[in-house]
């Protein structure tokens, strides 16, 4: 049985990060809503309670039943709100902090006897982010770490394996955060660290064979990492019983359809390429509203896919490259929809197929590790994320084949430049946006009145937050020059220096 850590999500923005950090320790974990602890699951070896946007004394605050965990003697680590919740429900007090405590802090005192801090000396930097603070804890607990401002920065139960930290060990700025999480999951919970890409492939291939038998599966490829890895994994399990469909909606990057199709064939996948660009351009003509564009492309994709899949015989399953963050987002307890990202929502219902999502428990970096382990080439695995609606959401205003052609050229120069300068792997994602403004320029002796494009390149770990990439000026100058000199119709290049939030990565 695969042992696991459960992370109960009280709605913090860093809950997913806790999960990723635990997985980085080769320990399997699952993130579940705060009130959905799996009572019958014997494989749970420890529980982490996340932070939360609420205060423990809020009417609406999320509450979990800790007694069931304690009866099973499961080690518990409360982080931020999680720590406050444990303290508060055990007779301690939590009050609004005099000054909100955000950012860097130094643990000036650490109890050397606390197993959570094994190998960590006073002076360690941690990251705080809370408006409340624990002002007292019951006699069953004792303080194990303090900062100059926060006396009860961490605590431990006197006789049970219950720990609380008011800072965030999971964020990368917390200097020994990984060590603290390792101390908890390995030393305190007894995890064996056997979760790896190779072990995942072995078990998943076996499970897929059992689940699918001799059934036929159809899967939509997008050229992106997730669907590609899902396809190769399924192909490893069921061979030619998997058929893949790759739809060109006309909004792909320059030469992408041909190149990616070729890659897929080299990987031994049974893949059908469908050029449906004319249909999509016709549907999109004159449409300017971003959400409408997305809906049209989403629906168009479903129609084309459905039509093609019906040409196949006896298909029972729809394979999808859904990954863990997609599932957690849909579970999200406080999340709001900013943009509709779900390109193919509704497809399984329409086609009346059963869903097969072999990557649904993996984070993005784990998907890449699995791809690598499956022998996929780096240029497929390290591809930047690319939105399902493609260049359509990077052309502001209406879409025409001419605009797509301009954008493809500009985008190609930028992306190829990043690769040539060794910068491609340093950014999470990059692309060019075709703006709906024209501006005056001068080329030779001629006055020009042409389009402006914006370059967008961001660093990120999960696309939930992102910073603009600080690309070298020389590189930006070269790309700007190349675009203006070689892409007819563009006479101005800007660089987008907005972070997410408050901006988003895509412009539409
Ligand atoms: P935003 O623009 O919301 O994007 O910061 C976050 C990440 O999601 C990608 N994205 C999409 N992916 N269909 C997709 O498959 C979509 O409609 C879509 N919109 C945005 C975006 O490229 C970034 O990686």
């Amino acid at each position: 049985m695969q042992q696991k850590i459960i992370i109960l999500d009280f709605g913090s923005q860093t809950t997913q990060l806790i999960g990723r950090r635990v997985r980085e320790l080769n320990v399997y974990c699952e993130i579940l809503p705060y009130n959905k602890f799996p009572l019958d699951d014997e494989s749970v070896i420890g529980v982490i309670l996340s932070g939360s946007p609420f205060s423990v004394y809020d009417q609406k605050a999320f509450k979990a039943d800790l007694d069931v965990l304690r009866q099973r003697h499961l080690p518990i680590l409360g982080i931020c709100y999680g720590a406050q919740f444990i303290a508060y429900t055990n007779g301690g007090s939590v009050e609004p902090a005099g000054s909100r405590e955000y950012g860097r802090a130094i643990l000036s005192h650490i109890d050397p006897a606390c197993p959570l801090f094994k190998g960590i000396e006073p002076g360690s930097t941690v990251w705080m982010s809370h408006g409340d603070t624990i002002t007292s804890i019951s006699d069953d607990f004792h303080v194990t770490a303090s900062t100059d401002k926060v006396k009860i920065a961490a605590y431990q139960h006197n006789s049970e394996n219950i720990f609380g930290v008011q800072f965030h060990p999971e964020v990368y700025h917390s200097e020994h955060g990984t060590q603290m999480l390792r101390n908890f999951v390995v030393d305190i919970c007894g995890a064996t660290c056997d979760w790896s890409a190779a072990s995942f492939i072995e078990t998943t291939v076996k499970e897929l064979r059992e689940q699918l038998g001799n059934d036929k599966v159809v899967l939509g490829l997008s050229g992106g990492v997730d669907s590609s890895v899902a396809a190769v994994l399924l192909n490893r399990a069921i061979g030619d019983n998997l058929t893949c469909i790759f739809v060109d909606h006309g909004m792909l990057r320059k030469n992408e359809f041909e190149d990616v199709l070729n890659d897929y064939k080299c990987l031994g996948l049974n893949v059908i390429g469908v050029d449906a660009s004319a249909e999509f351009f016709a549907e999109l003509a004159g449409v300017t509203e971003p959400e409408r564009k997305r809906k049209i492309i989403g629906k168009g994709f479903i129609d084309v896919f459905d039509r093609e899949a019906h040409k196949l015989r006896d298909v029972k399953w729809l394979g999808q490259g859904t990954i863990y963050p997609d599932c957690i987002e849909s579970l999200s307890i406080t999340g709001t929809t900013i943009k509709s990202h779900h390109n193919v929502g509704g497809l399984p219902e329409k086609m009346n197929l059963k869903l097969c999502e072999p990557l649904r428990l993996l984070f993005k970096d784990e998907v890449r590790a699995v791809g690598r382990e499956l022998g996929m080439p780096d240029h497929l695995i390290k591809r930047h994320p690319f939105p399902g609606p493609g260049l359509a959401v990077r052309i502001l205003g209406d879409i025409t084949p001419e605009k797509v052609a301009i954008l493809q050229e500009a985008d190609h120069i930028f992306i190829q430049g990043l690769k040539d300068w060794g910068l491609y792997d340093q950014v999470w994602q990059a692309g060019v946006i075709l703006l709906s403004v024209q501006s005056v320029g001068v080329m030779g002796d001629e006055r020009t009145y042409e389009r402006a494009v914006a370059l967008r390149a961001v660093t990120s770990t999960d696309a939930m937050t992102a910073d603009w990439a600080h690309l070298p000026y020389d590189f930006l100058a070269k790309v700007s020059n190349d675009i203006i000199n070689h892409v007819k119709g563009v006479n101005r290049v800007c660089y987008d220096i907005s972070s997410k939030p408050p901006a988003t990565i895509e412009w539409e």
Side-chain angles (χ1 to χ4, degrees):
M1 191 168 7
Q2 172 76 60
Q3 48 170 229
K4 64 174 83 124
I5 299 284
I6 292 294
I7 297 157
L8 291 181
D9 181 13
F10 289 83
S12 163
Q13 298 204 334
T14 60
T15 306
Q16 278 202 37
L17 200 48
I18 305 173
R20 294 191 45 216
R21 302 307 300 270
V22 172
R23 296 267 187 100
E24 278 167 19
L25 298 167
N26 297 109
V27 174
Y28 181 66
C29 63
E30 284 179 17
I31 299 172
L32 296 174
Y34 63 97
N35 55 356
K36 294 268 167 18
F37 180 80
L39 293 173
D40 301 331
D41 190 340
E42 292 297 322
S43 62
V44 180
I45 57 168
V47 182
I48 299 178
L49 312 186
S50 82
S52 172
F54 292 114
S55 295
V56 285
Y57 42 77
D58 274 350
Q59 286 285 320
K60 292 183 295 184
F62 299 137
K63 298 182 179 66
D65 180 2
L66 299 184
D67 289 345
V68 291
L69 312 181
R70 291 172 83 166
Q71 276 154 18
R72 281 177 55 179
H73 304 294
L74 286 171
I76 304 173
L77 170 63
I79 293 179
C80 196
Y81 173 93
Q84 293 165 357
F85 178 73
I86 297 170
Y88 186 72
T89 48
N90 283 280
S93 31
V94 176
E95 294 170 26
S99 57
R100 290 160 80 82
E101 283 147 358
Y102 289 108
R104 206 174 294 273
I106 307 285
L107 293 180
S108 47
H109 157 76
I110 289 180
D111 175 358
C114 177
L116 193 65
F117 298 118
K118 189 187 83 180
I120 302 167
E121 302 284 330
S124 177
T125 301
V126 290
W127 203 256
M128 294 278 183
S129 177
H130 50 101
D132 290 338
T133 197
I134 303 173
T135 47
S136 71
I137 42 176
S138 89
D139 291 344
D140 293 336
F141 294 81
H142 60 278
V143 176
T144 54
S146 315
T147 71
D148 287 349
K149 280 215 222 126
V150 185
K151 180 165 174 292
I152 311 174
Y155 63 74
Q156 176 183 354
H157 193 279
N158 297 337
S159 57
E160 296 177 46
N161 269 328
I162 302 179
F163 303 82
V165 291
Q166 287 210 86
F167 50 85
H168 288 271
E170 71 279 17
V171 306
Y172 289 88
H173 296 92
S174 283
E175 202 180 356
H176 296 107
T178 306
Q179 180 66 30
M180 290 174 204
L181 290 172
R182 181 183 294 114
N183 288 342
F184 180 69
V185 298
V186 179
D187 292 359
I188 299 169
C189 300
T192 47
C193 304
D194 50 6
W195 168 255
S196 68
S199 70
F200 169 82
I201 294 170
E202 194 186 315
T203 8
T204 309
V205 164
K206 198 162 143 266
E207 283 167 8
L208 285 171
R209 285 184 183 146
E210 278 163 17
Q211 181 186 27
L212 302 171
N214 201 26
D215 287 356
K216 297 221 168 20
V217 181
V218 63
L219 178 142
L221 286 168
S222 68
V225 184
D226 304 344
S227 62
S228 307
V229 173
V232 176
L233 188 60
L234 271 161
N235 178 260
R236 166 93 46 114
I238 60 165
D240 271 353
N241 271 345
L242 170 72
T243 305
C244 304
I245 298 178
F246 182 28
V247 178
D248 182 2
H249 52 33
M251 256 69 53
L252 297 174
R253 292 183 150 149
K254 188 178 175 184
N255 299 334
E256 189 169 20
F257 186 57
E258 299 76 16
D259 291 352
V260 173
L261 204 52
N262 196 33
D263 277 336
Y264 286 144
K265 288 187 176 150
C266 290
L267 282 166
L269 295 179
N270 177 11
V271 52
I272 301 169
V274 188
D275 177 1
S277 44
E279 283 173 54
F280 281 87
F281 279 124
E283 287 290 327
L284 284 166
V287 178
T288 55
E289 212 271 307
E291 279 298 290
R292 183 102 195 88
K293 289 185 195 172
R294 273 200 163 74
K295 295 267 149 55
I296 290 175
I297 296 180
K299 181 177 176 307
F301 180 86
I302 292 176
D303 289 346
V304 174
F305 188 88
D306 189 35
R307 193 170 69 213
E308 293 300 320
H310 269 101
K311 296 181 189 163
L312 307 170
R313 303 251 300 268
D314 301 330
V315 175
K316 292 218 173 67
W317 297 83
L318 176 71
Q320 277 191 338
T322 318
I323 69 169
Y324 202 36
D326 307 333
C327 307
I328 308 175
E329 263 177 59
S330 56
L331 270 179
S332 170
I333 44 188
T334 52
T336 40
T337 306
I338 313 284
K339 297 174 192 172
S340 52
H341 281 192
H342 298 284
N343 314 316
V344 291
L347 192 53
E349 297 83 356
K350 168 157 182 163
M351 298 183 66
N352 197 17
L353 294 175
K354 290 185 274 187
L355 255 189
C356 173
E357 299 176 312
L359 308 179
R360 67 191 317 282
L361 294 175
L362 300 191
F363 288 106
K364 192 87 176 183
D365 39 359
E366 295 174 313
V367 173
R368 292 203 166 101
V370 166
R372 215 166 281 125
E373 188 74 29
L374 285 165
M376 294 170 64
D378 252 15
H379 68 269
L380 260 187
I381 292 171
K382 290 192 176 169
R383 277 168 79 89
H384 290 167
F386 187 62
L391 300 181
V393 290
R394 295 186 182 165
I395 294 175
L396 308 192
D398 70 320
I399 295 163
T400 62
E402 296 70 34
K403 288 184 187 173
V404 171
I406 292 178
L407 185 53
Q408 281 179 332
E409 290 306 322
D411 181 82
H412 180 68
I413 290 172
F414 187 32
I415 299 297
Q416 193 56 46
L418 285 166
K419 288 180 181 163
D420 294 345
W421 284 57
L423 297 165
Y424 186 83
D425 292 341
Q426 291 174 31
V427 304
W428 164 268
Q429 180 169 8
V432 179
I433 296 94
L434 186 67
L435 307 185
S436 48
V437 289
Q438 284 175 283
S439 75
V440 174
V442 53
M443 277 184 171
D445 292 331
E446 299 269 326
R447 175 189 185 276
T448 59
Y449 187 58
E450 292 178 336
R451 289 183 174 280
V453 296
L455 309 181
R456 180 79 163 136
V458 296
T459 53
S460 177
T461 44
D462 50 16
M464 306 283 279
T465 59
D467 194 8
W468 59 279
H470 295 217
L471 296 174
Y473 283 174
D474 287 351
F475 169 73
L476 291 172
K478 169 93 171 83
V479 170
S480 162
N481 231 357
D482 285 353
I483 290 179
I484 294 173
N485 285 333
H486 295 114
V487 184
K488 208 164 169 309
V490 176
N491 68 352
R492 195 170 293 270
V493 174
C494 314
Y495 189 47
D496 179 353
I497 54 167
S498 343
S499 61
K500 173 184 179 176
T504 49
I505 296 176
E506 305 294 346
W507 279 44
E508 285 198 339

